[in-house]
Amino acid sequence: MTRTIAGTIVHALAEHGVTQVWGVVGDALNPFTDSIRNEDRLEWIGVRHEETAAFAAGAQAQLTDRIGVCMGTVGPGSLHLLNGLYDAKKSHAPVLAICGQVPTAEIGTDYFQEIHNDRVFADVAVWNQTLTSPEQLPQMLVQAITAAYSQRGVAVLTVPGDVGELELDADIPELSFARPHRQSEPVEESLAAAAAALDGAERVTMLVGRGAEHARDQTLAMAERLQAPMVVTLKGKSGFDGDHPYGVGQAGLLGNPGAADALADCDVLLMVGTDFPYRDFYPTDATVIQIDRAATHVGRRVTVDVPVVGDAGDALTALLPRISADRDPAHLQKAQETFESWRDRQRNVADPDYEKSGVVAKVRSVFDNPDDRIRPEALAAAVDRHAPEDAVFTVDTGMSTVWLARFVEMRAGRELIGSFNLGSMANALPQALGAQALDRSRRVVSMSGDGGLMMLLGDLRTAVTHRLPVVVVVFDNASLGMVQLEQQQGGLPSFGTELDNPDLAAVGTAMGLASKRVEEPGDLDAALAWAFAQDGPVLLDVLTNPDEISVPPHPRVSQAWGYAVAKLTEGIESRR
């Protein structure tokens, strides 16, 4: 018996545990999709846009730590993968992209749809080669997947249109792919230096990210030992939200005064499993200790005094016995008090009846400016109340991320994915599709912005076609809210940010999703209860107030002045 190149690759992926392959059929991919048709262990999920395929495969890789697989055919199909592949690259997600190419005899002739794949994917891929003969298997496939695992990135395997159907001997051995071991023990010298710095400090603040997620117990034990407030990055929310006394919320523009003060006031900053990129929020005169298993991450955001290269769990386990437990809790208590005061204010804002009560109602009556549109804070808080405790959340880049960060808690069992490093629009829906395909019985919630959803609107139908019961919650404020805020803080009137959206609930219904349009704050809870009671894909089109803004932890006078000037200019221009 013989087996084709495409059949051999598909069989090896199924043996490795891959359950779905994402893409759009055609041309050079035909031998692959035909092999998938005959492989019961693999599901082909045809999407409406290849960008969705790459985002979905990247989401699966992030959730499972196993290879995600997407495909793009000759030229344009492969190019459409790029944005989702860049997101996988910057999220350190192992993804295999199988890309079609023109027939081998036509390569280099400027053939119809021909692009130079090796050049196009050179920046995004950790491994990038073209398969031209059966003799290159199995080694080339092993190299591709091993590189994706070991370097935590994208491998691109290009297959010309006449190569996938070539045959090779059936006695090819079963393939296995090496996955790197997580643990790597830090060196003694680094541990000793870190212990000395921590033991001699009065005020330690911890900055914790996703790289410490698997070491939650050790991380909390260290926070207790140091009596340290724990600032958590957005990517670290799913590991460290929940019932413990050390968290003081997020850092950066998404954050709060408690977290900002905890960072500014410490004399030692202990970074654990994070590559938090925003330099303006780091302390300026603290001793910095960074624990990270990737040596290339250490010191690239802030000057590090004590680098500890190794697994977070191993390092913290080794450090704990070396640090005395007799600590003054004043630094922790101060950060907690500020954080809790801020949370109380946020809970008020998230109340659907906030606009009708107290000082807010009186101010609005004085200015004759009633505004009972749904506050995005109230929507996010309602999603938090109604979503299951094991839900997976995806979130679009922009204001949707702000509201999720502040009002949705990633309690134990919940998980979170977003385009947190690339910052792409339109990521939430395709990532939700990828997450939902892994387990159709587990609720996946896409916190979508209206701008992001409209970009890849066609793949709402993919949820219906493949019976993926995602709950798509749309923050429909008819604007590109984050860009609008950026313009206004700079003193510029809003321009080019308005969106003349259709009735997205009607669109969702036409696409085959159970859909509702929500326009009144008092209808939020009933609408969300209805959404989570459905057994298929759902879309909630929630009309939210476009004038809601995200106030940073310590707003600068220049930001407030810029916003005031912008709003005044908008008011004048609207009356011309």
Side-chain angles (χ1 to χ4, degrees):
M1 291 181 60
T2 58
R3 186 186 294 165
T4 65
I5 282 177
T8 299
I9 292 173
V10 166
H11 175 79
L13 293 175
E15 284 288 310
H16 184 58
V18 174
T19 56
Q20 283 106 21
V21 178
W22 301 76
V24 176
V25 299
D27 300 318
L29 294 184
N30 288 335
F32 287 92
T33 51
D34 188 58
S35 296
I36 293 170
R37 179 179 63 85
N38 291 299
E39 174 54 75
D40 293 339
R41 294 170 293 177
L42 275 183
E43 178 184 12
W44 171 258
I45 300 188
V47 296
R48 269 55 178 184
H49 194 295
E50 286 91 347
E51 182 177 350
T52 297
F55 269 123
Q60 292 190 328
Q62 291 179 65
L63 287 169
T64 65
D65 209 28
R66 297 184 70 88
I67 197 85
V69 183
C70 58
M71 294 186 181
T73 192
V74 179
S78 294
L79 290 175
H80 284 164
L81 294 171
L82 270 172
N83 195 50
L85 293 182
Y86 266 100
D87 188 78
K89 171 189 176 177
K90 292 182 72 67
S91 298
H92 312 295
V95 168
L96 173 66
I98 297 176
C99 295
Q101 181 56 286
V102 300
T104 51
E106 305 296 346
I107 293 175
T109 68
D110 196 22
Y111 196 69
F112 174 65
Q113 292 190 324
E114 181 186 6
I115 63 171
H116 199 309
N117 280 18
D118 292 348
R119 292 179 185 170
V120 167
F121 294 103
D123 182 56
V124 75
V126 298
W127 188 94
N128 178 26
Q129 298 292 337
T130 299
L131 179 70
T132 57
S133 74
E135 289 75 23
Q136 291 171 295
L137 286 178
Q139 283 75 23
M140 191 170 276
L141 181 63
V142 171
Q143 290 174 5
I145 294 181
T146 301
Y149 276 135
S150 62
Q151 300 181 57
R152 311 229 22 110
V154 175
V156 176
L157 178 64
T158 296
V159 184
D162 58 331
V163 171
E165 60 190 5
L166 295 180
E167 295 181 344
L168 65 165
D169 292 339
D171 59 359
I172 184 173
E174 293 293 339
L175 307 185
S176 59
F177 308 109
R179 301 176 65 193
H181 188 53
R182 178 188 293 276
Q183 277 67 33
S184 57
E185 294 186 4
V187 299
E188 172 58 30
E189 182 180 356
S190 296
L191 291 171
L198 292 169
D199 213 33
E202 293 184 8
R203 302 179 310 281
V204 179
T205 294
M206 297 175 66
L207 178 60
V208 178
R210 177 165 284 177
E213 194 173 45
H214 69 286
R216 175 183 168 91
D217 291 345
Q218 297 98 314
T219 305
L220 294 181
M222 180 60 76
E224 180 181 21
R225 179 68 53 88
L226 295 169
Q227 288 294 288
M230 194 168 70
V231 180
V232 178
T233 68
L234 180 59
K235 291 173 69 176
K237 266 178 70 72
S238 57
F240 293 97
D241 273 2
D243 186 20
H244 65 84
Y246 308 106
V248 292
Q250 269 76 64
L253 291 173
L254 302 179
N256 68 88
D261 291 348
L263 290 169
D265 295 344
C266 67
D267 54 12
V268 171
L269 174 66
L270 174 59
M271 299 172 62
V272 186
T274 180
D275 191 33
F276 183 71
Y278 305 108
R279 298 181 183 182
D280 291 347
F281 295 93
Y282 282 97
T284 55
D285 56 357
T287 297
V288 178
I289 303 167
Q290 184 174 2
I291 301 172
D292 203 296
R293 66 180 179 182
T296 55
H297 290 180
V298 176
R300 70 176 179 177
R301 309 300 184 190
V302 64
T303 300
V304 171
D305 301 283
V306 183
V308 180
V309 178
D311 175 74
D314 288 347
L316 293 174
T317 298
L319 282 172
L320 273 165
R322 308 178 189 215
I323 299 169
S324 61
D326 186 16
R327 316 288 295 202
D328 185 346
H331 178 56
L332 171 61
Q333 291 170 352
K334 178 183 176 184
Q336 286 174 326
E337 290 169 2
T338 306
F339 177 52
E340 286 304 319
S341 176
W342 176 83
R343 290 186 75 184
D344 286 341
R345 298 193 297 274
Q346 295 297 298
R347 280 189 280 267
N348 290 334
V349 173
D351 185 341
D353 294 327
Y354 176 73
E355 301 288 353
K356 302 176 183 177
S357 62
V359 175
V360 175
K362 293 178 181 177
V363 170
R364 291 199 181 281
S365 65
V366 168
F367 289 95
D368 192 24
N369 183 30
D371 192 338
D372 58 358
R373 288 177 292 185
I374 297 171
R375 300 177 69 91
E377 301 97 327
L379 171 55
V383 171
D384 181 57
R385 288 194 299 273
H386 289 274
E389 292 301 290
D390 66 344
V392 178
F393 292 83
T394 65
V395 62
D396 267 335
T397 299
M399 297 306 296
S400 303
T401 298
V402 176
W403 309 131
L404 176 138
R406 293 186 173 182
F407 295 96
V408 179
E409 188 171 279
M410 295 296 121
R411 296 180 284 275
R414 289 181 171 181
E415 296 186 80
L416 172 64
I417 295 177
S419 184
F420 299 135
N421 291 350
L422 181 63
S424 173
M425 287 181 64
N427 62 285
L429 173 63
Q431 289 179 328
L433 297 176
Q436 192 70 82
L438 290 171
D439 183 353
R440 287 173 168 84
S441 66
R442 183 183 185 187
R443 274 299 187 188
V444 177
V445 184
S446 174
M447 305 278 275
S448 297
D450 47 359
L453 182 70
M454 290 289 287
M455 271 190 173
L456 290 173
L457 189 66
D459 275 298
L460 282 174
R461 185 64 187 178
T462 300
V464 177
T465 301
H466 294 279
R467 303 174 303 283
L468 301 172
V470 295
V471 176
V472 181
V473 178
V474 187
F475 288 75
D476 188 352
N477 62 0
S479 72
L480 300 174
M482 183 65 80
V483 179
Q484 176 177 287
L485 182 59
E486 290 168 354
Q487 292 176 348
Q488 292 170 345
Q489 286 184 341
L492 302 173
S494 301
F495 180 76
T497 59
E498 298 83 4
L499 299 174
D500 58 339
N501 294 327
D503 182 334
L504 292 173
V507 172
T509 298
M511 289 276 200
L513 292 84
S515 303
K516 279 185 182 292
R517 188 174 174 93
V518 187
E519 301 182 32
E520 299 294 333
D523 294 338
L524 275 177
D525 282 303
L528 282 159
W530 169 84
F532 286 108
Q534 304 305 303
D535 60 3
V538 179
L539 186 143
L540 280 187
D541 179 20
V542 184
L543 273 59
T544 58
N545 190 341
D547 294 327
E548 287 301 307
I549 63 171
S550 166
V551 180
H554 290 304
R556 299 189 301 271
V557 172
S558 60
Q559 291 173 314
W561 179 250
Y563 183 77
V565 170
K567 298 306 287 184
L568 179 62
T569 305
E570 289 173 11
I572 293 172
E573 291 186 346
S574 69
R575 290 170 172 77
R576 286 179 178 173

